[in-house]
Amino acid sequence: MRIENARRSVTALSTAAVALVLGISEAWAAAGRPSPWETGMQEMVTELGQSVSSFHTYLVWLITAICLFVLALLLVIVARFNEKKNPVPSKTTHHTLLEVAWTIVPVLILVAIAIPSFRLLRQQLVPPQADVVIKATGYSWYWGYEYPADQGGFKFDSNMVTDQAALKPDQPRLLGADNAMVVPVGKVVRVQVTSADVIHAFALPSFYIKVDAIPGRLNETWFKAEKEGVYYGQCSELCGNGHPYMPIEIRVVSEQQYAAWLAESKQKYASTDDTAPIKFANAQ
C-alpha cells in the first residue's frame, strides 16, 4: 500500500513538473488574474508594479549571489581545514582585514537594498494628482463603489457572480463580479478605502495595490493602468466566512468607452431617495 502511494506521489510530481515546464509561457502570458502553475508575479500593468517586479528580480539575484558565495566559503573551509589536512588546529583569533570586510560588506548590501526600497515606498505612499477618485467600501461580503459628482455622482454594489452560466467569457470562477469598477486607461486613479463592518483589504496584484479597509478610517491607494483589460483581485484580510467570495474586478477601458460607461451608469445607478451629489474628503 505504501509502495503504491509512493508511486502515485512520484507520478503526480512528474506530471506537475512537465506541466510547469510546458505551461510556463502560458502562465506568464496571462494578465490580470492568477494562472495555473504560475511561478512568479502576475503581469504588472502599472509603472509602480513594474518597478516592484524588477526590484523583486534584483533581490532574487542578489540573494542567489550571497548564498553561492557562502556555499563556496563553506566548501573551501571543509576542503582546506578538515582534520586530515590540519591535525593541529590553527589558533588564530583575530584578522583585521577579515573583520573589516565582514562588517563593511553587509552594510553595503543593506544600502544597495535600502535605496531602491525607500524610493519605491515613496512612490507608493505619495500619490500624484488624481484624475479620478473612487471610494471603495468593504461590506460582509461584497464591495461598494462610489464615483464623485464630477464623475457622475453615483454608487453601486459589486457582488461575486455565483451562477456559472452568468459568467462572461473573460470572467474566471470566484473572481468575476456582477458590477465591475471601470476606470480610464493612462489616468491616475485614487481609491479611498474604508469598511462598513469588519476589517477588509482591497488588493489587486496586477496593479500592486493592497490597503486595509478599516471601519471609521479612510485609507487610500492609487494606480495608473497602462494597458486596457480586465484585472482581478480579492479581499486579502480574513473577514469572516464569506471572505473567499469578495472579488475585485476592475475594467480598464479607453477614455471614449469610459465616458460612455459614465453616462450609462449615471442612469443605471441613479439614486431615487438621495439627490445630493457625492463628495469625498481627503484621506489623512
Side-chain angles (χ1 to χ4, degrees):
M1 189 67 179
R2 291 181 178 176
I3 295 176
E4 183 66 23
N5 289 338
R7 287 176 178 173
R8 290 179 180 176
S9 299
V10 171
T11 302
L13 289 174
S14 302
T15 304
V18 172
L20 176 62
V21 173
L22 295 180
I24 192 168
S25 59
E26 179 183 352
W28 281 355
R33 69 185 73 181
S35 302
W37 302 105
E38 190 169 32
T39 58
M41 295 182 178
Q42 294 182 24
E43 180 184 346
M44 297 293 178
V45 295
T46 64
E47 181 182 356
L48 177 61
Q50 292 164 3
S51 299
V52 170
S53 181
S54 299
F55 181 56
H56 172 266
T57 303
Y58 162 71
L59 288 181
V60 169
W61 284 112
L62 182 62
I63 293 170
T64 301
I66 293 172
C67 290
L68 291 176
F69 176 70
V70 172
L71 176 62
L73 287 180
L74 290 174
L75 293 177
V76 168
I77 291 172
V78 169
R80 292 186 58 183
F81 300 103
N82 58 69
E83 185 179 4
K84 185 180 295 185
K85 289 189 175 182
N86 294 274
V88 180
S90 171
K91 295 183 179 180
T92 302
T93 56
H94 295 285
H95 191 291
T96 303
L97 181 60
L98 183 61
E99 292 181 359
V100 170
W102 70 36
T103 301
I104 297 298
V105 172
V107 171
L108 295 177
I109 292 174
L110 291 177
V111 170
I113 294 174
I115 292 176
S117 178
F118 291 154
R119 184 167 58 245
L120 286 173
L121 281 174
R122 185 184 184 281
Q123 186 179 357
Q124 181 182 9
L125 298 177
V126 182
Q129 182 66 34
D131 299 305
V132 179
V133 181
I134 302 172
K135 183 178 180 181
T137 304
Y139 300 91
S140 297
W141 287 272
Y142 61 96
W143 292 96
Y145 301 125
E146 298 181 29
Y147 286 68
D150 62 344
Q151 296 291 315
F154 57 85
K155 57 184 176 181
F156 58 90
D157 295 333
S158 179
N159 292 273
M160 185 185 75
V161 178
T162 56
D163 185 3
Q164 188 77 12
L167 287 172
K168 298 176 183 177
D170 58 355
Q171 287 183 314
R173 178 177 172 272
L174 298 180
L175 288 177
D178 55 358
N179 297 310
M181 178 195 295
V182 179
V183 299
V185 68
K187 298 295 184 180
V188 176
V189 180
R190 182 177 299 179
V191 185
Q192 297 182 342
V193 183
T194 188
S195 171
D197 36 56
V198 299
I199 298 178
H200 302 283
F202 190 86
L204 205 85
S206 291
F207 292 174
Y208 189 70
I209 57 174
K210 179 181 178 183
V211 59
D212 285 339
I214 302 174
R217 182 182 178 90
L218 195 64
N219 293 329
E220 70 176 22
T221 185
W222 73 279
F223 64 87
K224 181 182 178 182
E226 300 175 346
K227 182 179 178 181
E228 294 183 29
V230 186
Y231 305 96
Y232 297 94
Q234 288 178 299
C235 173
S236 296
E237 190 72 49
L238 294 177
C239 57
N241 64 345
H243 163 68
Y245 312 112
M246 284 187 66
I248 300 167
E249 180 178 341
I250 299 182
R251 293 181 174 265
V252 181
V253 298
S254 65
E255 291 190 51
Q256 294 78 10
Q257 291 174 316
Y258 179 67
W261 178 84
L262 282 180
E264 178 185 350
S265 299
K266 188 174 181 180
Q267 299 299 323
K268 180 179 178 180
Y269 303 117
S271 176
T272 57
D273 56 355
D274 186 5
T275 57
I278 299 173
K279 295 182 180 180
F280 292 162
N282 291 324
Q284 298 294 333

